[in-house]
């Protein structure tokens, strides 16, 4: 063993040269230092290799504002931090904050010394403290760690509070749930007979780790990661690290990890966690645990990134951005309190979402009328609904659901889902709502990303949860046979929670600033995002809806649009969801609407554009009784996407006495503007987008004008006829995105006035009357040689051609010189993709307000599932560019 150690350390003093000059890592950053040992190393001196930017900063004339202490995990080394090392120096050289970055090679790892000492977690934390003392590192310090380096960096952080000003973490963990097996790759690596073979005698563990990068690492980068580990003697530290994983309470490092987990929860400094959710080792389970211990931390999940998240995603620049935001000039930000202040339920003007249900608890009138496939209806009175909500709330609390716990709901809209939602809200649980319209992959990403503590679902949803490994205690909507419940991992049913033998005792009510819900976007503009709403924001949404549309206790609502299907009890109005697949609005028929209206005596109907299309298309099936029922509707609202005058006119033909409203909004702010069929502007030949009306409910709308490249860089304005991004502010605007700090940061726009402002991603303009016009999405703007072009106007012009049913206009070519291409659906239809015939192409070109380099005809334009109307122009642009470059004609 002594001979092996000597061999492993041959040339120790020259390894700094070998450890640098690698891809992305100039040799000048490589250094060595002798460090007096501690604990088991007391009385010895150990030689460390590390990266340090201090000299480079001095050469640039930059004075460090603080030190980032970066600690790698297993089996990487300080090379992991090369992008942060180089970019931090580039930032300082350009006049930005100068953060000194010190990235260590832990002992036994990288180019640091190999020893005969067994290095437990306690030892490694002591090693790092000895290193920083020898190097003379003092505050302000921000720790940074990945993998087991995250644990060790946090150990240093909790023991150096006087120097610590912040903590940054990549995929890591400080706690493993009792009774849950450690991740399979670690079980395999640590198994008897495999530890030495896989980690030391061969490069299997190292190679497997490097293979987790997505996209794959370049060969020279993989070789750089491997370079310190060329022999079994050099790899002993890899095996020792695996052996030190405290998987069970009897492990020597388990008590220290448990103490560390408790200590981390007391950290009050700013923190950020950047995560690769595809990590098979440090999954979202561990992110959720850390987020619970550090609730004030910013969190961002890089969709598609994995274990080597810093190699998979723009992590280095994100870390520097966070340092600039939270620790400008290295100054310690204001620390968060040791315990969050208890939110008051008596905020100014705040009325909880369930208050009107409380007020009608003795009312035997209908609260919910649930349409069933047999043509019958299930009626639930206010008294019954209040009783069910109260008992479910007590039952949920009895099985362990607490304020702030996330509860994922996989139940179709109706009386059961309504009762569960209000029960969760009443006890302060956070409802997570992601509808089936996201598809299996989208729903999987949403549920895994939210990491709920409980999942309440119907059999189909619970089967998906079991098959895809979704987290959380499982609760079935209906009582299942024992074998089925066991197979699905179900612990309780809702019937189990409705315990009538005891008095329902509820915890104190949540307050206005407590988180109430996470609602997922449709995924039509990228991966679905979780949108966080507080209780106050949801209550404000209710109030705007109630006030603007004069909804009273006598109103009846038919809700064929999922986001509004659950607001009836909050509004104090009876409600019904018509017979349909709520996640696929185009399944709604005119007869189903009529049946729901008749059963509910409804005077208000909510529909999505896709639902309206099918209601209009199936209107011929209405009989005289249906038409009589529909005459009682006074208001019909289209929500979810802009709709045309023609579609609203056709809808009024089905609901002849209704005032037709087109409501503009998004998941982030469901009510922004409103326009009626009567107030729609006259159609003209200019085709400048879809008028969505004037702001409602105190919403403030501004426009950030576009520059020549199509970027929204202009100062927000309310000037008329300025094309730009729509930004909004409102009391009922979402709180933030869930675990998407960078996305949330990008969506926030500073405006001179006070208030919270959100960049919608929509482009449009305000007219002289203050009405808002939508002209497309910001990513769909076409940056031409003559300036930016929004797509909706040209599309509207093309759709005046009699043979065109629907059109999309997209850009092809280099940035700043993009050319326009039209892709159309025809009224006659087609079974294959083709270039438009000469006559149709000529008509489209004549109608278009922009020159077109090509016109394609397709069977159907790609749209999102939830709305069936939002065209995926980004996908079409890539497709058209490929076709014009010579690729085979294919379906977009």
């Amino acid at each position: 063993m002594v001979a092996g150690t000597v061999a492993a350390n041959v040339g120790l003093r020259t390894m700094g040269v070998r450890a640098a000059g690698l891809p992305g890592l100039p040799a000048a950053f490589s250094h060595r230092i002798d460090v007096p040992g501690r604990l088991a190393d007391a009385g010895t001196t150990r030689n460390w290799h590390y990266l340090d930017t201090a000299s480079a900063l001095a050469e640039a004339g930059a004075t460090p504002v603080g030190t980032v202490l970066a600690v790698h995990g297993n089996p990487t080394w300080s090379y992991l931090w090369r992008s942060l090392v180089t970019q931090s120096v580039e930032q300082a050289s350009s006049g930005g904050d100068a953060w000194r970055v010190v990235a260590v090679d832990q002992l036994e790892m990288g180019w640091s010394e190999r020893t005969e000492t067994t290095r437990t977690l306690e030892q490694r934390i002591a090693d790092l403290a000895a290193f920083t003392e020898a190097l003379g590192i003092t505050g302000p310090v921000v720790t940074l760690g990945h993998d087991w380096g995250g644990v060790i960096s946090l150990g240093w952080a909790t023991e150096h509070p006087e120097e610590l000003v912040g903590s940054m973490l990549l995929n890591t963990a400080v706690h493993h749930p009792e009774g849950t097996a450690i991740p399979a790759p670690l079980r395999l690596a640590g198994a008897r007979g495999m530890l030495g073979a896989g980690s030391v005698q061969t490069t299997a563990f190292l190679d497997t780790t490097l293979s987790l990068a997505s996209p794959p690492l370049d060969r020279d980068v993989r070789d750089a990661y491997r370079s310190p580990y060329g022999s079994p003697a050099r790899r002993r530290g890899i095996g020792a690290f695996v052996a030190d994983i405290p998987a069970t309470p009897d492990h020597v490092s388990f008590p220290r990890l448990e103490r560390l987990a408790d200590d981390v929860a007391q950290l009050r400094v700013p923190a950020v966690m950047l995560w690769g959710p595809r990590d098979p080792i440090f999954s979202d389970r561990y992110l959720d645990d850390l987020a619970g211990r550090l609730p004030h931390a910013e969190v961002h999940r890089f969709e598609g990134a994995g274990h080597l998240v810093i190699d998979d995603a723009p992590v280095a620049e994100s870390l520097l951005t966070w340092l600039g935001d939270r620790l400008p000039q290295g100054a310690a930000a204001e620390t968060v309190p040791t315990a969050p202040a208890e939110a008051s339920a008596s905020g100014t003007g705040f009325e909880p979402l369930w208050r009107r249900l409380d007020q009608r608890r003795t009312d035997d009138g209908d609260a919910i009328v649930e349409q069933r496939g047999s043509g019958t209806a299930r009626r639930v009175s206010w008294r019954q609904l209040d009783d069910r909500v109260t008992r479910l709330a007590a039952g949920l609390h009895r099985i362990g659901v607490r304020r702030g716990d996330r509860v994922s709901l996989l139940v179709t809209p109706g009386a059961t889902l309504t009762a569960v939602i209000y029960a969760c809200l009443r006890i302060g649980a956070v409802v997570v709502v992601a509808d089936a319209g996201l598809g299996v992959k989208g729903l999987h990403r949403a549920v895994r990303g939210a990491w709920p503590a409980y999942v309440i679902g119907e059999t189909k949803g619970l089967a998906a949860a079991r098959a895809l490994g979704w987290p959380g205690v499982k609760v079935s909507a209906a009582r299942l046979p024992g074998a089925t419940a066991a197979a699905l991992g179900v612990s309780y049913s809702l019937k189990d929670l409705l315990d009538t033998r005891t008095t329902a005792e509820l915890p104190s009510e949540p307050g206005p600033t407590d988180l109430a819900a996470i609602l997922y976007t449709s995924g039509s503009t990228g991966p679905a995002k979780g949108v966080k709403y507080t209780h106050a924001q949801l209550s404000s949404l209710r109030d705007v809806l109630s006030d603007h549309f004069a909804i009273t206790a006598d109103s009846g609502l038919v809700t064929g649009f999922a986001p509004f299907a659950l607001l009836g009890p909050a509004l104090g109005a009876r409600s019904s969801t018509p017979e349909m697949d709520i996640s696929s609005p185009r399944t709604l028929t005119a007869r189903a609407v009529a049946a729901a209206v008749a059963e509910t005596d409804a005077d208000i109907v909510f529909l999505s554009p896709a639902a309206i299309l099918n209601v209009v298309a199936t209107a011929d099936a209405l009989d005289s009784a249906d038409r009589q029922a529909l005459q009682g509707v006074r208001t019909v609202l289209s929500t979810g996407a802009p709709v045309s005058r023609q579609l609203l006119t056709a809808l009024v033909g089905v609901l002849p006495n209704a005032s037709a409203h087109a409501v503009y909004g998004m998941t982030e702010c469901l009510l922004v503007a409103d326009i009626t069929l009567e107030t729609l502007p006259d159609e003209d030949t200019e085709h400048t987008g879809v008028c969505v009306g004037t702001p409602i409910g105190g919403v403030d709308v501004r426009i950030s004008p576009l520059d020549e490249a199509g970027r929204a860089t202009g100062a927000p304005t309310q000037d008329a006829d300025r094309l730009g991004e729509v930004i909004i502010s409102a009391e009922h605007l979402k709180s933030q995105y869930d675990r998407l700090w960078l996305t949330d940061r990008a969506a926030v726009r500073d405006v001179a006035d006070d208030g919270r402002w959100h960049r919608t991603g929509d482009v449009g303009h305000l007219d002289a009357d203050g009405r808002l016009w939508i002209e497309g999405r910001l990513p769909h703007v076409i940056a031409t040689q003559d300036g930016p072009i929004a797509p909706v106007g040209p599309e509207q012009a093309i759709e005046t051609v009699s043979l065109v049913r629907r059109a999309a206009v997209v850009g092809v070519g280099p940035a700043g010189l993009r050319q326009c291409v039209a892709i159309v659906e025809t009224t006659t239809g087609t079974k294959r993709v083709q270039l438009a015939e000469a006559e149709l192409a000529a008509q489209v070109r004549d109608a278009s307000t922009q020159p077109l380099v090509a016109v394609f005809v397709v069977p159907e334009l790609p749209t999102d599932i939830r709305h069936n109307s939002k065209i995926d122009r980004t996908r079409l642009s890539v497709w058209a560019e490929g076709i014009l470059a010579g690729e085979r004609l294919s379906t977009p």
Side-chain angles (χ1 to χ4, degrees), residues 103-383:
V104 300
D105 283 5
Q106 299 195 59
L107 291 173
E108 323 294 341
M109 304 295 289
W111 295 107
S112 285
E113 183 176 347
R114 270 51 173 176
T115 76
E116 297 300 320
T117 303
T118 299
R119 301 206 173 272
T120 62
L121 175 58
E122 184 78 39
Q123 181 67 50
R124 289 197 175 277
I125 294 171
D127 289 343
L128 185 60
F131 169 84
T132 57
E133 183 176 320
L135 199 59
I137 293 177
T138 58
V141 174
V142 178
T143 57
L144 168 61
H146 171 252
D147 190 271
W148 284 101
V151 180
I152 294 159
S153 73
L154 287 170
W156 188 97
T158 56
E159 292 182 357
H160 295 78
E162 68 285 351
E163 295 163 17
L164 186 74
V165 294
S167 181
M168 305 188 294
L169 297 169
L170 313 185
N171 293 50
T172 188
V174 296
H175 175 74
H176 185 78
E178 185 177 353
T180 304
I182 64 172
L186 293 182
R187 292 202 306 274
L188 178 62
R192 180 174 297 181
M194 287 296 296
L195 181 60
S199 304
V200 180
Q201 297 304 318
T202 72
T203 60
F205 187 81
L206 175 60
D207 293 340
T208 299
T209 301
L210 298 179
S211 72
L212 297 177
S214 178
L217 298 172
D218 292 339
R219 181 174 181 177
D220 58 350
V221 173
R222 293 198 306 272
D223 289 344
Y225 272 118
R226 291 190 184 105
S227 60
Y229 302 116
S231 68
R234 299 287 304 165
R235 292 192 292 271
R236 279 204 311 272
I238 295 177
F241 239 130
V242 174
D244 193 47
I245 297 171
T248 59
D250 58 352
H251 192 283
V252 64
S253 288
F254 188 85
R256 183 65 183 93
L257 185 63
E258 288 286 282
R259 179 158 58 91
L260 175 61
D262 292 338
D263 291 345
V264 166
Q266 302 307 312
L267 284 177
R268 310 312 335 149
V269 296
V272 65
M273 291 176 266
L274 305 181
W275 217 260
R278 293 181 62 185
D279 189 343
I281 302 168
F282 296 105
S283 66
D284 283 307
R285 175 192 304 280
Y286 301 107
L287 172 62
D288 187 69
D289 175 75
L290 280 165
R293 296 174 193 277
L294 298 170
H296 60 282
E298 272 94 8
V299 177
H300 189 88
R301 300 170 70 255
F302 289 100
E303 198 66 55
H307 181 69
L308 294 176
V309 60
I310 195 169
D311 282 307
D312 294 350
V315 166
E317 48 263 58
S318 301
L319 293 172
L320 292 171
T321 296
W322 183 83
L323 288 169
D325 285 354
R326 293 292 172 263
L327 299 166
Q329 296 297 313
E334 182 178 348
T335 58
V336 295
T338 302
E342 188 73 18
S344 169
S346 58
T348 303
F350 172 67
E351 180 183 276
L353 210 61
W354 58 87
R355 187 63 75 229
R356 296 180 196 181
L357 173 59
D358 283 351
Q359 293 167 354
R360 301 191 68 171
R361 63 165 58 98
T362 60
D363 189 337
D364 290 317
D366 289 341
I368 298 174
V369 180
E370 186 176 300
Q371 301 301 124
R372 296 183 169 181
S374 61
T376 61
R378 173 192 179 193
R379 297 179 179 277
V380 179
S381 71
W382 291 99
R383 186 192 299 272

Side-chain angles (χ1 to χ4, degrees), residues 416-437:
T416 297
L417 179 60
T418 301
V420 171
I421 284 181
Y422 283 86
C424 289
L425 293 174
R426 173 58 186 81
I427 63 175
V430 180
V431 296
V432 178
V433 182
D435 68 50

Side-chain angles (χ1 to χ4, degrees), residues 66-103:
T67 300
V68 173
L69 178 62
V71 188
H72 68 86
N74 186 32
T76 56
W77 56 287
S78 57
Y79 183 69
L80 179 77
W81 308 113
R82 63 196 180 282
S83 55
L84 178 63
V85 166
T86 56
Q87 290 182 38
S88 64
V89 173
E90 290 169 2
Q91 172 178 282
S93 299
S94 301
D97 285 352
W99 283 91
R100 178 189 181 187
V101 178
V102 175

